[in-house]
Amino acid sequence: MTLKLGVNIDHIATLRQARRAPYPDPVDAAAVCLGTGADYIVVHLRKDQRHINEKDVARLCKTFPGKIHLEC
């Protein structure tokens, strides 16, 4: 059995929302994770979108097709 590493980047967006700033950027965080060995990125899209939002999901899917595990 081959193990895969998925990295959850929800809290990157949590920091961004708390700062009310455009950073840190979840797409940048995903690039770092995937560039250093992660097999895929995990995000949880909540109805209230208090962390990851629809815009983030669209950008992540466009930038890293096939590497995003979306949980709703």
Side-chain angles (χ1 to χ4, degrees):
M1 175 171 68
T2 303
L3 297 177
K4 301 275 183 176
L5 175 63
V7 178
N8 183 312
I9 60 168
D10 286 343
H11 292 297
I12 299 298
T14 301
L15 285 172
R16 179 195 60 204
Q17 301 299 77
R19 292 177 177 172
R20 296 187 177 152
Y23 60 89
D25 185 357
V27 174
D28 292 342
V32 170
C33 294
L34 292 169
T36 56
D39 296 299
Y40 59 94
I41 300 299
V42 178
V43 294
H44 296 93
L45 182 59
R46 297 170 48 99
K47 186 175 180 178
D48 60 12
Q49 297 187 34
R50 67 180 181 180
H51 306 298
I52 295 291
N53 59 43
E54 289 180 27
K55 183 179 173 184
D56 294 327
V57 171
R59 290 177 54 229
L60 286 163
C61 289
K62 182 178 179 180
T63 307
F64 309 106
K67 296 288 186 176
I68 306 301
H69 179 87
L70 177 62
E71 297 182 3
C72 298

